[in-house]
Amino acid sequence: MADTTIKKELWERIPQDNKDAEVISRPSMTYWQDAWRRLKRNKISMLGLAFIVFMVLFALVGPTLAGHDYSTQDLTLSNIPPRFEIYQIDADTFVYVHSEYKLIDVLEDGTLIGRIKEVQNNLNDKNRVYDIDGNEVFLDYKYAAIKDSSEADAGIKFKLFVNGTEVQPYKTVWNKGHLFGTDNMGRDVLARVMYGARISLSIALIATLVNFFIGVLYGGISGYIGGRIGNTMMRIVDIITAIPLMLYVILLTVIIGTGFKSIVIALGSVYWVNMARIVRGQVLSLKEQEFVLAAKTLGAKTSRIMLRHLIPNVMGPIIVSMTMMIPSAIFTEAFLSFIGLGVNPPMASWGTLANDALSGIRTYPYQLFFPSLAISLTMLAFNFFSDGLQNALDPKMRK
Amino acid sequence: MEQRTESPKEVLLEVKNLKKYFYSKSGFIKSNVQAIKAVDDVSFTIYKGETFGLVGESGCGKSTTGRTIIRLYDVTDGDVIFDGANLSQMTQSQIRPYRKRIQMIFQDPYASLNARMTVGDIIGESLDIHHLAKGKERQEIIWNLLERVGLSKEHANRYPHEFSGGQRQRIGIARSLAVNPDFIICDEPISALDVSIQAQVVNMLQDLQKEMGLTYLFIAHDLSMVKHISDRIGVMYLGKLVEVASSDELYDNPKHPYTQALLSAIPIPDPDVAKNSHRIVLEGDVPSPMNPPSGCRFRTRCRYAMDICSKVEPVLVEIEPGHFSACHLNKNSEGVSFQETVQND
């Protein structure tokens, strides 16, 4: 048998240092640091955040980089799509046949030069004759009006002849000067979408901030006072919710006219009710918590309890509801602008852009596509972001 | 009798006929107001430097009594006289100076600290409210208090969620000590803690009492812990005080049937003794404080209930020096019920 006796020294008790028991090894993290750490792990919501940052930059610095002004019109270059077919006339002369059957001089890379003046315009026979650098160019667009023909079946609407021979499309190019094309006034769609982003995002931001202040104050007071006064305050909220937003906006525009201001006022005066409800609910449950009672026994005044104890503790739900409010404010603004209650031209928001594009939706779908894309992607980004934020701020998720 | 009850002592807090009713409204058009008598005619006195324990079942009004004394709730009726001043009728601004002298320690160490504030700010809040100290001086006080409750000054910049239950409770104690109070209401300060931590906190409270000359109102439902810390104990049942005595007297010689039942429920750590001890099991539940029984409130669960109990409400009378009880059973040496002698007056 091996020697199994254990030396006596080994049984000596390790002196217990009381201080060690109180040491916290985990690095100190504030609530917000902790939430940010959790948010960073959520890929989709970070993607949303990245897109929001991109959209804000797009709105802020975009218009200065676009090279076009949102309001400058050029009627000769109206309704030109972002991508089009060009025809070769001679070695370095190219034309684009506009959907209004006019020829536009372009470079091979897609840079627009300008409208070409026709020599003859036969409206009855549906053709135009041009003289380009000595070449006789004949644009015959009668096929667009003929229903039963092999051309109509093949989708051909016009034919282009140079010195008597028909030419086929040379190639399809991107619109160099106007990446998103131009609208019916010849304004750059990209510049207008950027400018629209400015208007849409600032309306959303202002409306949300107004809602934040009114909602938090109103809900906080209603929840903290409680009782009859608090209930009456919430009944007023119910009445405001019961009035349809649309009616409200129409009445407002009657008084102060359509435009940026009336949309902000309309959104600001209606949207806060949800915020007020959330804050009231939270405050009602928090005010009975012992830390609020503790602050009272220390002699804290109501304002201090509200600002230092209650509101910081409701900040999580408030911020989540704010980020959820932004997309719905963007959408409401777009919707109001779309039905003609929005900002006035030449100012543009995404909603008015969509509205303007609606008349030409069959011929110029790109004019509707870009503002709609901007609206959808921004709303999606905000929704992804707020979803992740909700998970990150929810204390129940805390491990 | 015990000497400490006989020696003249300075009264710090006197609660006279304190009542706190909560009203519950039901009905929309014709409102039906019902009073919940959480505290109904409670009177007791707390002397300077002592610990007064308040025990009773959940919902008997112990915590409400504590919170009404410190005016977290408005007083329905009665007086709370603290060091000669009647707190019960003061407005919140009049009472503010007294907030420095009366403090409270709360039950739930997780709910009683604001999660968005650092421990330093939590402890220092009263210094800011009463403009007692600023800058370096404030920090010194906070560090001092932290060390006093067995934490270190590095903890001042941390947030409550980083601490354990016992540590949090000690932070709560440090917060209440920051204003240098005379009187602390301990509202079940140990019932949310592990047994191993309970002793630590109770011993700390006793040490602090000795060092700073504090007076405690110790609210709890754990009788053995209350006996350990209290000089005198009051037993509450359904908003009423049924028995008040010094802690040894109450344990050795309980007069009220409810106190007897409570004491018999204390687990005895010796199996041989436990085998022979008789446990009084109370039948039924505590009646609703909205509609308490007539006469003696305990009669529905009392095994000695008599006819008189449903007719006459017993009052708290001194049946022995320093020992008060509210029961028709208590008789003096001549065999006359104390209740009769008092109610005939």
Side-chain angles (χ1 to χ4, degrees):
Chain A
M1 273 306 255
D3 183 20
T4 51
T5 49
I6 297 167
K7 284 181 198 138
K8 219 170 184 183
E9 305 93 81
L10 289 175
W11 286 107
E12 222 164 276
R13 197 172 172 167
I14 297 166
Q16 196 185 1
D17 190 356
N18 234 351
K19 282 278 170 224
D20 278 355
E22 310 289 354
V23 170
I24 301 171
S25 55
R26 192 178 160 210
S28 181
M29 259 195 186
T30 68
Y31 174 73
W32 298 109
Q33 284 171 330
D34 209 25
W36 173 240
R37 188 177 58 87
R38 257 171 294 159
L39 185 66
K40 272 196 291 192
R41 281 195 300 224
N42 188 338
K43 292 280 180 316
I44 287 184
S45 127
M46 286 312 282
L47 201 70
L49 181 63
F51 187 80
I52 292 166
V53 171
F54 165 75
M55 215 22 144
V56 169
L57 289 177
F58 183 80
L60 285 179
V61 280
T64 57
L65 300 177
H68 295 279
D69 185 58
Y70 75 97
S71 62
T72 308
Q73 302 180 0
D74 183 357
L75 291 173
T76 59
L77 293 178
S78 63
N79 291 329
I80 297 179
R83 192 166 165 79
F84 49 76
E85 288 177 331
I86 56 171
Y87 296 82
Q88 191 170 27
I89 306 298
D90 62 21
D92 49 343
T93 311
F94 298 88
V95 293
Y96 157 64
V97 183
H98 192 275
S99 50
E100 286 159 14
Y101 309 115
K102 289 164 187 166
L103 291 192
I104 287 166
D105 194 7
V106 292
L107 295 180
E108 195 182 355
D109 63 358
T111 312
L112 299 169
I113 294 169
R115 173 103 65 91
I116 305 168
K117 191 84 188 118
E118 67 263 29
V119 185
Q120 252 184 316
N121 188 1
N122 306 314
L123 287 173
N124 286 343
D125 298 336
K126 293 189 166 44
N127 62 51
R128 286 192 173 97
V129 182
Y130 294 86
D131 179 22
I132 302 167
D133 301 342
N135 300 307
E136 192 219 40
V137 178
F138 182 73
L139 174 66
D140 188 358
Y141 60 94
K142 62 172 184 283
Y143 306 101
I146 302 169
K147 286 259 167 65
D148 302 311
S149 69
S150 58
E151 283 88 357
D153 291 342
I156 293 169
K157 289 181 173 164
F158 63 86
K159 282 181 179 171
L160 190 67
F161 300 90
V162 177
N163 297 326
T165 45
E166 189 186 344
V167 288
Q168 293 301 319
Y170 176 69
K171 65 174 179 181
T172 310
V173 292
W174 291 104
N175 190 338
K176 261 282 168 69
H178 305 278
L179 285 178
F180 285 8
T182 58
D183 70 357
N184 59 349
M185 301 279 200
R187 294 173 295 205
D188 186 45
V189 173
L190 175 63
R192 286 182 71 72
V193 169
M194 284 171 169
Y195 191 78
R198 250 186 213 192
I199 302 287
S200 289
L201 289 180
S202 44
I203 284 179
L205 192 73
I206 294 170
T208 310
L209 283 181
V210 169
N211 292 333
F212 168 74
F213 284 111
I214 302 180
V216 169
L217 200 71
Y218 195 92
I221 290 172
S222 161
Y224 190 74
I225 295 176
R228 192 163 296 185
I229 297 172
N231 276 332
T232 313
M233 285 173 86
M234 291 327 277
R235 292 301 82 75
I236 294 171
V237 161
D238 291 345
I239 293 168
I240 292 172
T241 336
I243 301 172
L245 177 68
M246 203 50 53
L247 182 70
Y248 202 72
V249 177
I250 292 169
L251 290 176
L252 262 178
T253 51
V254 169
I255 299 166
I256 50 176
T258 57
F260 187 82
K261 204 167 61 181
S262 64
I263 288 206
V264 169
I265 292 175
L267 290 182
S269 53
V270 171
Y271 267 42
W272 60 268
V273 294
N274 289 327
M275 182 70 85
R277 284 202 178 126
I278 292 170
V279 174
R280 175 184 147 93
Q282 295 279 332
V283 167
L284 272 178
S285 69
L286 280 177
K287 73 170 180 179
E288 298 297 330
Q289 295 260 332
E290 287 183 342
F291 71 86
V292 177
L293 297 181
K296 277 191 201 164
T297 62
L298 292 172
K301 294 200 176 94
T302 307
S303 57
R304 188 188 175 88
I305 291 176
M306 282 291 269
L307 295 176
R308 297 268 329 215
H309 295 279
L310 294 175
I311 291 177
N313 277 284
V314 222
M315 226 38 211
I318 288 177
I319 284 182
V320 170
S321 120
M322 270 170 76
T323 52
M324 287 186 169
M325 203 177 269
I326 290 175
S328 91
I330 290 174
F331 188 78
T332 312
E333 183 278 325
F335 172 66
L336 290 175
S337 297
F338 186 75
I339 59 165
L341 294 171
V343 296
N344 297 323
M347 260 162 80
S349 77
W350 290 336
T352 53
L353 289 180
N355 184 25
D356 292 346
L358 199 63
S359 50
I361 184 168
R362 294 177 74 113
T363 342
Y364 319 112
Y366 65 91
Q367 288 177 9
L368 183 62
F369 176 74
F370 290 110
S372 317
L373 186 74
I375 294 172
S376 338
L377 286 183
T378 310
M379 284 181 63
L380 209 60
F382 270 107
N383 280 329
F384 281 149
F385 176 63
S386 59
D387 198 41
L389 203 61
Q390 189 163 29
N391 289 339
L393 292 176
D394 194 344
K396 273 174 235 145
M397 296 279 290
R398 170 166 276 159
K399 280 167 199 145
Chain B
M1 266 334 295
E2 294 239 356
Q3 286 198 333
R4 58 181 163 196
T5 51
E6 280 170 302
S7 63
K9 280 197 167 183
E10 208 180 328
V11 173
L12 184 68
L13 178 87
E14 195 175 358
V15 176
K16 279 189 196 162
N17 307 96
L18 185 71
K19 286 180 188 162
K20 174 66 201 170
Y21 297 171
F22 292 102
Y23 295 97
S24 86
K25 292 187 188 80
S26 59
F28 180 66
I29 295 178
K30 197 179 153 200
S31 56
N32 239 331
V33 182
Q34 268 188 306
I36 298 160
K37 299 177 177 179
V39 179
D40 198 7
D41 208 355
V42 163
S43 306
F44 58 88
T45 308
I46 300 177
Y47 300 101
K48 217 165 227 176
E50 76 165 353
T51 301
F52 185 82
L54 204 55
V55 292
E57 283 172 87
S58 312
C60 72
K62 319 179 289 283
S63 291
T64 309
T65 307
R67 288 177 181 188
T68 312
I69 289 171
I70 205 169
R71 284 294 306 279
L72 282 175
Y73 299 145
D74 284 332
V75 177
T76 307
D77 194 24
D79 297 317
V80 177
I81 296 158
F82 177 78
D83 210 8
N86 192 344
L87 304 183
S88 63
Q89 300 308 323
M90 286 186 183
T91 62
Q92 287 297 331
S93 55
Q94 283 173 319
I95 210 166
R96 194 154 286 130
Y98 289 94
R99 298 249 183 252
K100 278 188 271 185
R101 301 188 56 195
I102 309 178
Q103 272 302 309
M104 192 154 183
I105 299 168
F106 291 88
Q107 175 176 11
D108 185 353
Y110 291 88
S112 63
L113 305 178
N114 186 346
R116 299 285 178 279
M117 284 165 81
T118 61
V119 166
D121 283 338
I122 289 171
I123 297 173
E125 186 169 24
S126 54
L127 304 176
D128 303 340
I129 290 170
H130 297 289
H131 310 289
L132 294 176
K134 265 190 196 152
K136 244 200 139 86
E137 195 192 345
R138 176 178 179 270
Q139 197 160 42
E140 285 293 325
I141 295 174
I142 291 167
W143 286 351
N144 246 325
L145 286 164
L146 276 173
E147 274 164 15
R148 190 157 217 169
V149 296
L151 297 168
S152 69
K153 57 185 179 187
E154 288 85 51
H155 291 141
N157 294 324
R158 298 204 167 247
Y159 286 85
H161 69 85
E162 300 170 48
F163 293 86
S164 69
Q167 286 175 319
R168 282 160 156 260
Q169 197 57 291
R170 282 183 277 155
I171 293 166
I173 293 170
R175 167 176 61 190
S176 65
L177 294 176
V179 284
N180 225 337
D182 302 321
F183 178 54
I184 297 182
I185 298 173
C186 308
D187 185 3
E188 306 201 30
I190 51 167
S191 51
L193 303 177
D194 282 355
V195 178
S196 55
I197 307 293
Q198 285 186 353
Q200 187 192 10
V201 171
V202 165
N203 290 338
M204 172 178 292
L205 285 172
Q206 284 185 316
D207 292 344
L208 289 168
Q209 183 170 36
K210 262 179 240 154
E211 280 173 47
M212 304 175 71
L214 297 168
T215 306
Y216 290 139
L217 170 61
F218 196 90
I219 299 167
H221 54 238
D222 179 348
L223 280 160
S224 40
M225 201 54 96
V226 174
K227 181 181 189 288
H228 174 71
I229 193 168
S230 306
D231 298 309
R232 290 190 307 130
I233 296 176
V235 180
M236 275 187 86
Y237 182 78
L238 211 62
K240 290 261 185 202
L241 212 49
V242 294
E243 188 162 8
V244 181
S246 71
S247 59
D248 293 333
E249 168 74 10
L250 189 89
Y251 273 75
D252 299 339
N253 189 16
K255 291 292 188 197
H256 196 281
Y258 179 61
T259 315
Q260 291 164 1
L262 274 187
L263 289 172
S264 79
I266 301 176
I268 300 163
D270 184 341
D272 293 330
V273 181
K275 215 179 280 171
N276 298 323
S277 75
H278 174 63
R279 175 145 180 228
I280 304 164
V281 180
L282 290 180
E283 304 281 330
D285 289 325
V286 185
S288 160
M290 233 184 264
N291 188 17
S294 63
C296 174
R297 293 194 176 190
F298 185 59
R299 70 175 167 86
T300 51
R301 300 167 77 191
C302 180
R303 48 189 190 145
Y304 306 113
M306 305 172 288
D307 282 349
I308 190 171
C309 297
S310 62
K311 289 170 194 144
V312 183
E313 188 174 339
V315 292
L316 204 61
V317 280
E318 192 163 16
I319 53 174
E320 275 167 38
H323 193 151
F324 299 80
S325 171
C327 183
H328 291 292
L329 287 175
N330 302 141
K331 292 186 171 65
N332 62 16
S333 50
E334 289 149 32
V336 182
S337 166
F338 282 104
Q339 295 300 325
E340 273 173 52
T341 57
V342 172
Q343 274 159 6
N344 289 340
D345 283 346

